[in-house]
Amino acid sequence: MKEKILEYLLNHQGEFTSGEVLRREFGVSRTAIWKHMKTLKEEGYQITSVPNKGYQLTIEEDRLLAYELEKSLGKKVEVHQSIDSTNNHLKRNARDYPDEMIVLSEEQKKGRGRLGRSWDSPKGAGLFFSMLLRPRITMEESFKITGIAAAAVAEAIEEVTGLPARIKWPNDILVQGKKVSGILTEVSGEPDGINYIIVGIGINVNTPNFTGELKDRATSLYLEKGEKVSRKELFVRAANKFFRFYHGFTREKTLGEVHGILENRSAVLGKEVIILRGEEKKQGKAVEITKEGFLKVRYESGEEEVLSSGEVSVRGLGGY
Ligand code: BTX
């Protein structure tokens, strides 16, 4: 019912619709209408109610609307105004939510990065979303999902903004050497089979500035391009691409075209990098992205290692 009322208001933007008209249209009580309006307002829809006139919906430019995104993607989408973390939310509700459900939030109070780090998620300017997946793959294979997401986000950024997006293995997207997006993949399951995967993606879209430690290391698409970027367009493109690559992967069990994207867009290939593993710090050269999407490094000793673990951080000598 709520969706039907929303659709009605969307089709009557710019005019007031009285509670009585809605009551007759949908055959529910005025109180029920009022309750649905209250819920829609809580979900972030800007609805003006004026006594004796009724309700009017105003859509702000670039507002993320579940209704619209669901239509574009053909998937269940939930949009929150504020949340601790979209990954946490999906984790809490994983049992009840459908496969491939997507949760977005306008802001995150406890946005998370990898290895206990945090992700700055200020209100309204970015894209913060998580996708719930239940593929029939092993834990080992699940590491590839981060690469699939990175490829999708990097391509979507470049297609929508024209900015060159590079992938810093395994989970960051850089523009002009600064971090514009990060991916946090979390897996629940056993080594030979998984319950679910949650892929969380944060993109600094229209973030006006960064302070503190992020000042020199982070950027937004707005700052790089010099004009606002449509979050809606970017989200739909990135999600559509992700699911195309992901379905290809679950079908074929190989990365397919994603491998080429990871290679061509790599920010680390051929460069000296520092490998951080807990307290351990090693320097080497990134020499290959393997067909599995893992990073092969060569140390000064000539010894080579293929890195696949989520417990490793790679830092470029250039400071990114
Ligand atoms: P990461 O561990 O690679 O990066 C975290 C590090 O990046 C931080 O320690 C900080 O230095 C820097 N950083 C923090 N916030 C930002 C930012 N907004 N832009 C650039 N650099 C930043 C990357 O982890 C994975 C991030 C995933 C975020 C998504 S948002 C939706 C979902 N929900 C959630 O809680 N996390 C994911």
Side-chain angles (χ1 to χ4, degrees):
M1 178 53 57
K2 187 185 76 188
E3 281 72 27
K4 283 191 186 154
I5 294 175
L6 178 62
E7 188 161 4
Y8 191 96
L9 294 180
L10 280 168
N11 289 330
H12 292 80
Q13 279 183 65
E15 54 188 87
F16 279 94
T17 305
S18 72
E20 181 56 23
V21 165
L22 292 171
R23 187 190 69 74
R24 265 188 275 126
E25 178 79 20
F26 298 113
V28 290
S29 71
R30 295 274 289 261
T31 318
I33 301 275
W34 179 82
K35 279 191 184 147
H36 287 305
M37 292 298 173
K38 190 162 168 276
T39 315
L40 287 169
K41 282 184 193 171
E42 280 162 10
E43 287 174 10
Y45 290 97
Q46 208 180 321
I47 296 171
T48 317
S49 26
V50 174
N52 300 324
K53 280 176 109 178
Y55 303 98
Q56 187 182 39
L57 175 68
T58 315
I59 299 291
E60 292 159 43
E61 211 188 315
D62 207 29
R63 181 157 271 286
L64 302 169
L65 302 170
Y67 157 90
E68 227 176 37
L69 301 176
E70 281 188 353
K71 258 194 178 167
S72 304
L73 293 174
K75 305 213 177 293
K76 187 98 186 86
V77 176
E78 213 174 77
V79 180
H80 293 254
Q81 295 312 300
S82 183
I83 209 166
D84 54 347
S85 142
T86 52
N87 268 40
N88 291 356
H89 181 80
L90 273 186
K91 221 180 274 178
R92 286 191 293 264
N93 294 285
R95 272 185 22 181
D96 305 322
Y97 279 1
D99 191 20
E100 303 191 357
M101 161 113 190
I102 310 176
V103 174
L104 294 100
S105 186
E106 287 285 353
E107 76 172 338
Q108 297 186 116
K109 296 285 192 192
K110 285 192 182 144
R112 294 191 291 114
R114 295 193 316 146
L115 311 170
R117 295 190 283 248
S118 64
W119 187 258
D120 242 45
S121 316
K123 198 172 186 74
L127 277 171
F128 314 111
F129 64 100
S130 303
M131 304 177 281
L132 177 66
L133 310 170
R134 295 197 182 90
R136 290 193 187 184
I137 58 174
T138 62
M139 194 70 104
E140 171 85 4
E141 285 171 317
S142 70
F143 289 122
K144 295 174 187 154
I145 301 290
T146 303
I148 292 171
V153 171
E155 280 211 333
I157 286 179
E158 194 154 323
E159 284 172 15
V160 172
T161 65
L163 294 166
R166 319 290 293 165
I167 300 168
K168 193 190 130 200
W169 188 92
N171 71 318
D172 291 331
I173 312 296
L174 312 176
V175 170
Q176 308 296 1
K178 289 181 173 180
K179 195 139 119 180
V180 81
S181 167
I183 297 154
L184 174 65
T185 306
E186 296 183 289
V187 185
S188 151
E190 320 287 327
D192 56 345
I194 56 160
N195 298 327
Y196 61 80
I197 299 177
I198 294 170
V199 189
I201 299 177
I203 310 177
N204 304 324
V205 186
N206 293 321
T207 322
N209 53 44
F210 293 90
T211 52
E213 59 132 5
L214 292 185
K215 204 164 185 283
D216 301 321
R217 294 168 54 188
T219 191
S220 71
L221 300 175
Y222 164 74
L223 288 172
E224 295 304 320
K225 197 171 159 63
E227 61 188 63
K228 291 247 169 111
V229 172
S230 161
R231 293 186 304 162
K232 219 181 286 183
E233 193 187 342
L234 183 61
F235 167 72
V236 170
R237 198 170 285 239
N240 270 332
K241 249 182 212 294
F242 172 80
F243 282 107
R244 187 163 65 75
F245 292 160
Y246 166 72
H247 291 145
F249 166 65
T250 51
R251 220 178 26 244
E252 313 289 337
K253 293 285 189 293
T254 66
L255 284 179
E257 64 183 303
V258 169
H259 177 250
I261 300 171
L262 295 179
E263 247 180 0
N264 295 334
R265 292 191 176 275
S266 175
V268 297
L269 263 191
K271 300 214 174 112
E272 288 292 321
V273 289
I274 295 168
I275 317 295
L276 303 158
R277 198 187 272 117
E279 294 295 297
E280 191 196 13
K281 205 173 180 184
K282 273 170 119 175
Q283 188 173 329
K285 189 173 182 177
V287 289
E288 187 187 332
I289 304 282
T290 69
K291 286 277 178 223
E292 286 71 41
F294 301 152
L295 182 71
K296 190 190 273 186
V297 287
R298 187 179 302 137
Y299 298 112
E300 276 170 345
S301 61
E303 179 204 350
E304 287 186 342
E305 188 180 14
V306 174
L307 306 173
S308 71
S309 154
E311 299 306 310
V312 177
S313 277
V314 175
R315 205 167 280 163
L317 283 185
Y320 54 78

